[in-house]
Amino acid sequence: MTYEIIGIAVLWLFLFGYVIVASIDFGAGFFNAYSVWTNKQHILSRIIQRYLSPVWEVTNVFLVFFFVGIVGFFPKTAYYYGTALLVPASIAIVLLAIRGSYYAFTTYGSLRHNGWTYLYGLSGLFIPASLSIVLTISEGGFVNELPSGISLDYWKLFTSPLTWSIVVLSLTSVLYISAVFLTWYANKAGDHLATNLLRKYALIWSVPAIITATGIIVEMRTHNPIHFQRLVDLWPLFGISFLLFISTVYLVAKRMRYGLAFIMLVGQFFVAFFAYGISHYPYLLYPYLTIYDSFTSEGMAVALIVAFIAGFCLLVPSLYLLLRLFLFNKDYVQGNR
Amino acid sequence: MGNEQSVFFSRVLTELTLSFHIIYATIGVGIPLMIFIAQWIGIKKQDEHYILLARRWTRGFVITVAVGVVTGTAIGLQLSLLWPNFMELAGNVIALPLFMETFAFFFEAIFLGIYLYTWDRFENQKKHLLLLVPVAIGASFSAVFITIVNAFMNTPQGFEFAGGELINVQPIVAMLNPAMPTKVAHVLATAYMTSAFILASIGAFRLLKGSDHQYHKKALFLTMKIALVFSIAAAVIGDFSGKYLAEYQPEKLAAYEWHFETEEGASLLLYGVLEDGNEVKYAIEIPYGLSILAHGNPNAEVIGLDQFPEDEIPPLYIHYLFDLMVTIGMGLAVLALIYVVGVWTKRQFIHSRGFRWLIVASGPLAMLAIEAGWWLTEVGRQPWVLRGLLRTSEAATTNDQVDTMLVLFAGLYLVLGIGSVIVLKRMFRNNPVEQELQDRQEKR
Ligand code: HDD
Ligand code: HEM
Ligand code: HEM
């Protein structure tokens, strides 16, 4: 394996980590707001708060890791994406700030106001939408390199069906991932009302999630034929992903083994996410940037990989401890402590 | 909008975000140590008051952490958004500490989550205290790593340019640059010092507002002792920073000190105003002071601004910032010293209202010194982003929507600032110590 591949694999892995943990967080915020709206707050809020409060800061670090890491491994991305993304990324920051301050002000600071709850719930939908734009842009065709610098063609971006399909995919996946996870969590807590409600949400959102995912592959055919061809070549992976999807839905529908269902779901997204990533190879930004011509200096690459391994050895036991105390601890989950 | 305007607004936005982040970051670096000390004393002495102190500080701390995380994420992304050319270069040479910083964040975040939600889960209190160690280490190391990046901007090394290509990159050498030791040490010492004074301010304020509880007196004495230690450390390290500058960035030191002509036995100017470009008025002159500050020798030669081209000299207003920082630093060290000695020798005047008001002022003043210090060193590096290599004007984005983003972020920080003040105030007002102590007694 070359350093380039190691670098992008590490980053992609952490981005995947972010997609899963953040989806749970975003979706939970949305369901929470929705339950306040429909006066079902008593069913959901407790479960959601209990899981989310100890881990929200960790979720954010996954994102920070990704954007700091990508500049380290592929510094040219700072130039291309940094220039092009000023507005979309700034908007995402503001939305992330709204979420962070929700925790600060309501959970810790007991400043309760339904306005914040709604804002918080909605920000959970807008953040994936605004972050997913980066994926759209990476497909090429929206960024132009002019003598005066890099510019992003907003008109083209916002009128492209590809943009909107990716946005819709991000929303449906967020709600689907979150609902499946929370079903499991509520079930562990022995909260049947919440389990039933969340299970219903999981089933409802599974269908649009899979339809939009398929839709994007079709969309790609006209937008970026080269990428489309590479996606098609990887069909066995997408096949596996689809089978995992079916298993999750089956288990949830049959009210069986919610834990296994969630693991299947992670597997489904993992396979699809990496298949997509592989098909994108070697481009970071069509057609300007590949992982090879944007790579960092060799000395830095070695240093980053060593630092990564060392950091990872610290990180895994700590994360395990966190999960053991808050996710797999029966007393905590059931609210006895 | 032309490129010049992009540069201008990028600067303003960077200044704004950093000046805001540094408030929360400084608290984030220092408070975990204070909580640790309080809880440790509480466990050792089996004194309920210190444990409660740790608990209440933690509650306030999580709010500042949350805002620190939010604004830190903003500045982290903004560095790439506003200074793409700088970050491209930085990615090649100094990405290592930035990358390690994210692990420090991970560490801090994970254990803070655990610490917060496990107050009463351990039989053995010491185990719970142990969870705070990674939080404090993680927080201090975020400061260490980011300050290393900033030190690198002042004395870049560890790479070579050959035909527009970067070669021979040595990330460790880049990290161990000459500016690093003094900068890292000074930033840490001042963060601890500032946090201690802020907590002291709160204690003094409570005492002034009529509460005469033992709890606040203990809190005040503890924090003032810590503040004394770190303000002395800050002043000593600050002196080393001056010596570092004389050797590696003489133009910066000369600009701080309004030292125009290279000379031996240079005197130090305190305060004063600058008129007509380079005429200093009303300043206090300390003969040989600058030579001593710069080289530890009254007759040493100190390089002046005459040795540098006009367009490489930083703005001269930074002298005022320097005076502000040093005055506050010295003043607070004296204040802490008087208080601590006063308690030991049982003087009454340290319990007077006037003296307590001085202590209330110490926290905000220390924070002001932090702001002044950063503005001083960042503006003092101008016109360079990377000293001698990359000018600020060449590093900025070419995107022409920076002005709109500036408005957006200014609004955000306003909301976050007001929100955190309101929440912190409510938190402590609605739940006074006396009440909480009583509740805890009853629970037993
Ligand atoms: C509570 C805050 C505080 C206090 C009381 C002091 N400082 Fe400071 N100073 C800082 C907070 C600070 C800082 C914010 O931490 C800076 C800005 C960047 C840095 O490296 O540290 C700084 C920078 C800084 C620099 C510039 C370093 C550079 O440009 O590379 C010098 C020369 C000093 N300090 C010297 C002093 C002296 C002689 C002090 C005597 C009391 C002093 N400082 C007190
Ligand atoms: C948190 C404490 C910091 C504060 C308060 C701060 C403040 C400032 C200020 C006021 C300027 C403007 C100078 C001018 O325009 O004349 C500046 C410039 C800059 N700083 Fe810092 N800084 C801090 C730390 C850092 C660190 C750690 C880095 C690097 C990782 C950094 C990166 C930059 C860059 C790239 C510029 C150039 C843009 C400019 O000149 O405005 N800063 N900073
Ligand atoms: C250019 C300068 C800076 C950048 C890019 C930056 C970046 C960040 C980021 C991304 C976070 C959020 C991490 C998370 O998600 O948990 C953060 C938080 C933090 N930053 Fe900064 N930072 C800068 C300056 C500083 C300085 C100068 C200090 C210390 C003196 C500092 C200390 C901290 C601390 C302790 C936190 C953790 C949050 C808290 O405890 O309040 N940062 N920073």
Side-chain angles (χ1 to χ4, degrees):
Chain A
M1 266 214 273
T2 58
Y3 291 143
E4 286 87 347
I5 305 270
I6 298 179
I8 195 70
V10 163
L11 293 174
W12 202 240
L13 185 70
F14 271 74
L15 190 59
F16 175 73
Y18 183 67
V19 167
I20 297 295
V21 278
S23 292
I24 295 174
D25 182 280
F26 295 153
F30 178 77
F31 291 134
N32 188 29
Y34 182 73
S35 69
V36 172
W37 179 258
T38 53
N39 276 326
K40 286 187 196 142
Q41 190 172 18
H42 52 283
I43 305 183
L44 287 188
S45 278
R46 212 180 59 93
I47 283 292
I48 289 176
Q49 300 270 341
R50 201 132 183 99
Y51 165 72
L52 286 182
S53 302
V55 298
W56 79 271
E57 215 191 324
V58 182
T59 309
N60 193 54
V61 187
F62 275 96
L63 178 66
V64 173
F65 184 98
F66 178 75
F67 69 66
V68 170
I70 199 161
V71 173
F73 278 108
F74 305 100
K76 270 212 174 66
T77 52
Y79 175 66
Y80 281 89
Y81 281 108
T83 314
L85 288 177
L86 179 67
V87 177
S90 296
I91 292 173
I93 299 172
V94 171
L95 294 168
L96 283 167
I98 292 176
R99 290 186 77 77
S101 48
Y102 171 86
Y103 280 104
F105 298 163
T106 66
T107 311
Y108 302 141
S110 59
L111 187 73
R112 299 217 184 278
H113 192 283
N114 280 354
W116 270 119
T117 310
Y118 294 137
L119 211 58
Y120 174 73
L122 286 179
S123 73
L125 297 188
F126 288 126
I127 295 170
S130 66
L131 290 179
S132 67
I133 296 241
V134 181
L135 284 185
T136 319
I137 290 172
S138 76
E139 292 301 336
F142 305 110
V143 171
N144 300 310
E145 189 164 20
L146 308 170
S148 59
I150 307 289
S151 78
L152 181 60
D153 187 340
Y154 286 101
W155 174 250
K156 203 166 156 200
L157 182 63
F158 287 114
T159 51
S160 158
L162 181 67
T163 311
W164 295 106
S165 343
I166 293 187
V167 165
V168 175
L169 173 66
S170 70
L171 297 184
T172 51
S173 319
V174 158
L175 296 173
Y176 175 55
I177 294 174
S178 183
V180 173
F181 173 82
L182 290 170
T183 308
W184 175 39
Y185 198 75
N187 188 49
K188 265 181 88 99
D191 187 337
H192 299 297
L193 274 178
T195 312
N196 281 337
L197 187 62
L198 288 160
R199 173 180 164 275
K200 206 175 79 193
Y201 290 157
L203 292 176
I204 291 176
W205 287 106
S206 64
V207 181
I210 199 75
I211 292 178
T212 44
T214 321
I216 288 190
I217 300 187
V218 178
E219 209 72 65
M220 204 65 84
R221 189 184 182 136
T222 47
H223 187 86
N224 185 340
I226 308 174
H227 193 177
F228 175 72
Q229 195 49 49
R230 295 193 53 114
L231 282 169
V232 173
D233 292 344
L234 289 171
W235 72 265
L237 289 179
F238 289 103
I240 294 174
S241 177
F242 185 72
L243 289 180
L244 289 165
F245 168 76
I246 296 291
S247 331
T248 311
V249 174
Y250 176 81
L251 289 173
V252 173
K254 290 272 173 203
R255 298 173 194 274
M256 275 159 54
R257 317 269 314 259
Y258 291 126
L260 185 65
F262 179 67
I263 292 172
M264 297 281 188
L265 170 127
V266 173
Q268 174 209 334
F269 276 86
F270 185 83
V271 174
F273 197 74
F274 272 80
Y276 171 82
I278 294 168
S279 70
H280 213 289
Y281 172 88
Y283 287 100
L284 289 169
L285 173 60
Y286 279 95
Y288 296 113
L289 272 188
T290 69
I291 60 173
Y292 295 103
D293 56 26
S294 65
F295 199 58
T296 192
S297 55
E298 189 175 326
M300 184 55 73
V302 176
L304 289 179
I305 291 170
V306 172
F308 174 75
I309 294 171
F312 204 67
C313 293
L314 280 175
L315 190 61
V316 169
S318 327
L319 273 176
Y320 173 73
L321 186 65
L322 183 74
L323 292 182
R324 224 190 65 169
L325 283 170
F326 297 112
L327 195 54
F328 304 128
N329 185 306
K330 255 207 145 54
D331 281 344
Y332 179 80
V333 175
Q334 296 179 348
N336 299 340
R337 297 209 197 191
Chain B
M1 197 165 80
N3 196 32
E4 245 163 62
Q5 278 193 312
S6 299
V7 176
F8 174 75
F9 286 113
S10 297
R11 290 175 98 139
V12 179
L13 183 47
T14 306
E15 288 158 13
L16 181 68
T17 306
L18 278 165
S19 304
F20 193 66
H21 177 64
I22 195 62
I23 299 175
Y24 296 90
T26 302
I27 295 176
V29 173
I31 303 272
L33 181 71
M34 307 303 140
I35 299 175
F36 183 88
I37 296 175
Q39 200 180 350
W40 187 56
I41 296 179
I43 293 175
K44 264 194 86 167
K45 289 192 180 166
Q46 281 303 316
D47 185 334
E48 184 73 358
H49 288 162
Y50 287 102
I51 305 244
L52 188 60
L53 203 56
R55 248 186 129 126
R56 287 172 68 90
W57 285 347
T58 308
R59 253 180 255 147
F61 173 64
V62 289
I63 296 197
T64 59
V65 169
V67 182
V69 166
V70 162
T71 52
T73 309
I75 181 63
L77 269 167
Q78 274 178 4
L79 278 182
S80 294
L81 298 175
L82 299 176
W83 310 99
N85 301 315
F86 163 64
M87 284 309 273
E88 191 182 332
L89 207 153
N92 278 299
V93 193
I94 196 70
L96 182 60
L98 278 173
F99 191 64
M100 296 204 281
E101 194 191 8
T102 58
F103 281 107
F105 289 145
F106 257 124
F107 224 47
E108 184 192 349
I110 291 173
F111 283 93
L112 184 62
I114 300 179
Y115 180 76
L116 280 183
Y117 287 87
T118 52
W119 269 101
D120 299 315
R121 254 166 102 172
F122 291 101
E123 288 298 324
N124 183 347
Q125 287 173 310
K126 282 200 187 121
K127 276 195 188 154
H128 184 235
L129 178 63
L130 223 50
L131 288 172
L132 191 59
V133 176
V135 178
I137 293 182
S140 289
F141 270 84
S142 339
V144 170
F145 290 132
I146 196 71
T147 310
I148 290 179
V149 178
N150 187 265
F152 171 83
M153 295 164 68
N154 284 287
T155 45
Q157 67 172 31
F159 62 97
E160 284 164 44
F161 267 120
E165 290 281 314
L166 279 169
I167 55 163
N168 219 351
V169 173
Q170 296 169 290
I172 304 285
V173 177
M175 282 175 69
L176 299 178
N177 60 72
M180 191 272 276
T182 43
K183 222 182 185 91
V184 168
H186 197 54
V187 166
L188 283 181
T190 52
Y192 300 142
M193 162 187 171
T194 305
S195 304
F197 275 117
I198 286 175
L199 296 173
S201 297
I202 297 174
F205 187 73
R206 281 283 151 219
L207 286 171
L208 274 169
K209 287 292 155 198
S211 167
D212 207 26
H213 202 282
Q214 201 53 29
Y215 170 92
H216 296 300
K217 291 189 181 150
K218 285 182 185 165
L220 187 56
F221 188 42
L222 175 66
T223 48
M224 286 303 265
K225 274 191 289 192
I226 301 175
L228 176 62
V229 172
F230 286 112
S231 43
I232 293 172
V236 173
I237 302 165
D239 181 51
F240 283 121
S241 303
K243 298 194 168 32
Y244 146 79
L245 285 175
E247 190 163 347
Y248 294 95
Q249 290 182 282
E251 78 286 6
K252 203 172 177 181
L253 184 67
Y256 288 172
E257 308 292 357
W258 287 343
H259 183 57
F260 296 99
E261 311 284 332
T262 304
E263 63 183 350
E264 292 173 7
S267 49
L268 182 67
L269 299 180
L270 293 180
Y271 312 105
V273 287
L274 199 60
E275 281 178 1
D276 307 327
N278 59 2
E279 206 175 323
V280 183
K281 285 210 177 132
Y282 316 117
I284 303 171
E285 205 173 318
I286 303 175
Y288 304 106
L290 187 54
S291 287
I292 296 176
L293 185 78
H295 299 286
N297 171 355
N299 295 314
E301 184 185 74
V302 182
I303 297 173
L305 289 172
D306 55 351
Q307 304 283 321
F308 299 94
E310 194 71 17
D311 69 341
E312 288 181 13
I313 294 178
L316 292 177
Y317 74 83
I318 54 183
H319 177 77
Y320 303 116
L321 297 174
F322 190 73
D323 284 343
L324 183 66
M325 174 181 78
V326 174
T327 309
I328 292 176
M330 293 299 181
L332 291 184
V334 171
L335 182 77
L337 184 69
I338 295 178
Y339 184 83
V340 171
V341 173
V343 172
W344 281 334
T345 55
K346 303 210 164 49
R347 301 292 159 124
Q348 277 313 305
F349 75 95
I350 55 166
H351 304 302
S352 66
R353 291 187 69 81
F355 198 84
R356 281 188 178 154
W357 275 115
L358 280 179
I359 299 178
V360 173
S362 69
L365 281 175
M367 196 54 89
L368 187 65
I370 294 268
E371 295 279 355
W374 277 108
W375 276 80
L376 163 79
T377 173
E378 296 297 293
V379 176
R381 196 185 59 234
Q382 303 305 315
W384 307 103
V385 169
L386 281 177
R387 179 174 177 268
L389 292 176
L390 184 66
R391 277 173 192 267
T392 311
S393 54
E394 296 159 354
T397 180
T398 45
N399 195 310
D400 55 11
Q401 276 140 335
V402 187
D403 48 353
T404 325
M405 296 304 112
L406 177 62
V407 176
L408 182 72
F409 281 103
L412 174 68
Y413 300 146
L414 194 69
V415 172
L416 290 179
I418 296 177
S420 42
V421 171
I422 294 180
V423 168
L424 285 172
K425 264 175 82 174
R426 272 169 56 136
M427 200 162 175
F428 284 91
R429 183 169 303 154
N430 293 353
N431 188 7
V433 181
E434 288 81 358
Q435 183 68 44
E436 197 171 351
L437 275 170
Q438 211 174 2
D439 292 349
R440 285 170 67 87
Q441 298 266 286
E442 280 161 14
K443 261 210 307 211
R444 293 266 166 104

